[in-house]
Amino acid sequence: MSATGTPITNAIRRLRFEHGEMTQQALADACGITRQTVIALEGGKYAPSLELAFRIARTFGAGLEDVFQWKE
Amino acid sequence: MSATGTPITNAIRRLRFEHGEMTQQALADACGITRQTVIALEGGKYAPSLELAFRIARTFGAGLEDVFQWKE
DNA sequence: TCGGAATGTAAGCTACACATGACATTGTGT
DNA sequence: ACACAATGTCATGTGTAGCTTACATTCCGA
């Protein structure tokens, strides 16, 4: 795993567990995306669009930079 | 103008002026993008990728949410 | 008055974010 | 032992972010 093809990492998986027993499907529904996308994001396959990043952060009640990190 | 096709707005143009006489070309060079992209972003044509959003924010020495706003 | 710097518009192209659907695996409860 | 929920893989398709090239406009200094 950890086949990162993007210089952006995220704390989605950790936040998901910290937010009760939130499943990938539950997060996907809350953000209006598919479970496939959640899997890809958690697996670091690619970085989300800025819009989706906002929706994910808001779902966790967090700021953008609490969820996504930019490793220059 | 203001033909927004995205629910995300930005303060790029304002920040550019607030950062000395920073031209679109200077910002583009600093972010590693083209002037066309700066024009499109300022014109609200589309939202940048998360990675580009980070580079722009960092160029201005600001946080992501200081530059980009998410209007649900 | 002419040249260059800054801004804007438009067409066509490529890369990738995200979707859909089908299937494999693992863990848990009954 | 079997159903089911949760996670993951693979394949394929579409929309759009961002690029390139080219041209038009406005403004300012020599």
Side-chain angles (χ1 to χ4, degrees), chain A:
Chain A
M1 284 181 203
S2 71
T4 305
T6 165
I8 291 187
T9 58
N10 68 75
I12 294 180
R13 179 174 277 265
R14 179 173 59 74
L15 287 166
R16 198 159 57 77
F17 287 130
E18 289 177 3
H19 275 252
E21 301 292 321
M22 180 177 255
T23 65
Q24 293 178 330
Q25 185 65 61
L27 173 59
D29 292 343
C31 296
I33 57 179
T34 65
R35 194 171 61 85
Q36 288 312 311
T37 299
V38 173
I39 291 174
L41 293 177
E42 287 190 355
K45 293 300 178 87
Y46 51 71
S49 66
L50 185 54
E51 179 178 345
L52 177 52
F54 264 111
R55 275 186 299 199
I56 293 173
R58 163 162 298 190
T59 294
F60 288 129
L64 273 186
E65 313 211 27
D66 294 322
V67 184
F68 303 95
Q69 295 82 40
W70 155 252
K71 38 169 181 169
E72 189 172 7

Side-chain angles (χ1 to χ4, degrees), chain B residues 33-46:
Chain B
I33 58 179
T34 65
R35 195 170 60 84
Q36 288 312 310
T37 299
V38 173
I39 291 174
L41 293 177
E42 287 190 356
K45 291 300 178 86
Y46 51 72

